[in-house]
Structures are given as C-alpha cells and as structure tokens.
C-alpha cells in the first residue's frame, strides 16, 4: 500500500514536471529554458528533477508527451459532440479562446515543432506525430461530412491555424485569430451545406 502511494506521488510529480516543461518551453523556447526554470514552474526542488529526468532533452520529450495527452483529451471531448461540423467548430473555438496566449507566445505545438526541426536528435519526429494525430482527426471529420477531399481540407484547416498563429504572434494581435476563426467557421458551414443532400 505504501509503495502504491509513493508510486502515485512520483507519477504526479513527474506529470507536474512534464506539464510545466510544456508551458515553460512554450513561453521561453527550448534553447533558453533551463531545468531550474521547469522545476520552479512545477514547484519541485531542482535537485528532484534529476530523479525523473536526467537531461533537458528528456524533459522536452516529456513535454511532447504532455502535448499528446492534452490532444487526446481534447479529441475525446470533441468526439462527444453530435456532428463533425460541431466538432470542427468547437476545435476552432478552443483556438480562438487561446488567442491572448497565442499573441504572446505562438502556437504551443507549432512553435515547438519549428524549434525542434532545427535539431537532429529525433524529437522533431515526436512532435510531428502529435501534429499528425490532429491532422488525421480533422480528416476524419471532413470525411464524415461526406467530403472526398477530406485530407486536403484537413491540411487547409491546420495550415490556416498555424498561419494565423504566426501572424497573431508576430503582430501581437489576438483579434487576427478571432477574425480568422470566424472566417473558418463560415468555411466549415459552407462545406457542411455543400455535403448535405439537396
């Protein structure tokens, strides 16, 4: 019994560190983030970090896993909505709700992918897999709408989000994200109408 409590505390502390890593890496970038920064954000003594993660790269990998876990939870919540159109628009709504954070730091997954792409350690493939999960999910929604061009539409949606995230961050203007969100909602509605039987 004591062992399971200890294991639970360890898992909780490890999860706290992974989530803190995801947040701090988003806010500060991989190059400038230190283990001490992550420990401070997780409210864990810096010496304890080494018990769970020996290197910053291991923490970056844990942050990617945290992104993947958050995406799985989001997809589960979205999948409870009745129609693919509702699901896609709820995804957009979530992006728009985060527009202030995006204006300040950019897209959490996109900025990390961009940073890791410049390295040759394989972590770029890990973050690409997180993006692929979202892309595949969006494709499934467009396919459920009866669209034969579901993959192209999914790419267009994710590309539009990544592009507007970059512009929102570059110009520090959250309204850009809100405006693009409204445009994409109209686009999804028009695709749903076109896919509906006459």
């Amino acid at each position: 019994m004591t062992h399971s409590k200890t294991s639970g505390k360890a898992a909780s502390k490890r999860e706290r560190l992974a989530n803190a890593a995801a947040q701090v890496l988003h806010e500060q970038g991989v190059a400038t983030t230190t283990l001490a920064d992550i420990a401070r954000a997780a409210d864990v003594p810096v010496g304890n970090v080494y018990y769970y993660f020996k290197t910053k790269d291991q923490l970056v990998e844990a942050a990617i896993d945290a992104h993947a876990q958050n995406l799985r939870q989001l997809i589960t919540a979205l999948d409870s909505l009745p129609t693919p159109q509702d699901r896609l628009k709820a995804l957009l709504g979530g992006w728009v709700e985060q527009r202030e954070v995006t204006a300040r730091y950019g897209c959490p997954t996109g900025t990390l992918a961009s940073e890791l792409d410049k390295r040759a350690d394989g972590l770029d493939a890990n973050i690409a897999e997180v993006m692929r999960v979202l892309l595949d999910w969006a494709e499934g929604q467009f396919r459920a709408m009866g669209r034969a061009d579901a993959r192209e539409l999914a790419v267009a949606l994710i590309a539009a989000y990544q592009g507007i995230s970059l512009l929102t961050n570059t110009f520090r203007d959250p309204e850009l994200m809100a405006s693009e969100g409204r445009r994409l909602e109209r686009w999804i509605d028009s695709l749903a109408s076109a896919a509906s039987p006459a």
Side-chain angles (χ1 to χ4, degrees):
M1 182 123 182
T2 306
H3 181 268
S4 66
K5 282 184 182 177
T6 305
S7 297
K9 284 181 183 177
S12 172
K13 194 175 285 187
R14 188 180 202 292
E15 188 176 322
R16 256 188 16 238
L17 283 164
N19 287 326
Q23 177 191 337
V24 175
L25 291 169
H26 180 213
E27 293 173 0
Q28 296 180 190
V30 174
T32 58
T33 296
T34 66
L35 291 177
D37 294 331
I38 294 167
R40 194 168 28 259
D43 195 25
V44 171
V46 72
N48 288 8
V49 175
Y50 295 100
Y51 177 78
Y52 302 97
F53 303 100
K54 303 300 181 211
T55 66
K56 185 165 84 171
D57 282 354
Q58 288 179 345
L59 264 167
V60 172
E61 191 167 5
I64 294 169
D65 291 343
H67 281 290
Q69 176 65 24
N70 291 337
L71 179 58
R72 283 191 294 273
Q73 291 171 352
L74 173 64
I75 285 172
T76 298
L78 292 173
D79 283 344
S80 70
L81 297 173
T83 69
Q85 180 181 355
D86 292 334
R87 292 175 213 133
L88 289 167
K89 288 169 69 173
L91 175 67
L92 286 175
W95 289 339
V96 171
E97 282 177 16
Q98 293 297 309
R99 64 189 179 277
E100 298 288 343
V101 174
T102 303
R104 192 154 179 206
Y105 304 114
C107 166
T109 309
T111 55
L112 189 55
S114 181
E115 280 192 84
L116 295 178
D117 181 58
K118 294 169 181 56
R119 298 165 41 147
D121 55 12
L123 290 173
D124 57 332
N126 293 8
I127 195 69
E129 187 54 36
V130 176
M131 285 267 204
R132 185 172 292 106
V133 168
L134 179 59
L135 186 61
D136 290 347
W137 177 84
E139 178 183 0
Q141 303 313 304
F142 286 115
R143 185 172 293 110
M145 288 167 61
R147 299 295 306 206
D149 54 351
R151 188 64 174 189
E152 291 83 0
L153 294 172
V155 168
L157 177 65
I158 304 306
Y161 168 64
Q162 288 301 323
I164 200 60
S165 293
L166 177 63
L167 290 175
T168 297
N169 178 239
T170 299
F171 295 114
R172 301 290 195 266
D173 183 357
E175 184 50 36
L176 290 173
M177 176 71 75
S179 175
E180 180 66 354
R182 290 189 295 270
R183 184 192 72 79
L184 288 170
E185 279 198 2
R186 291 191 303 271
W187 175 65
I188 289 167
D189 285 340
S190 72
L191 292 171
S193 296
S196 298

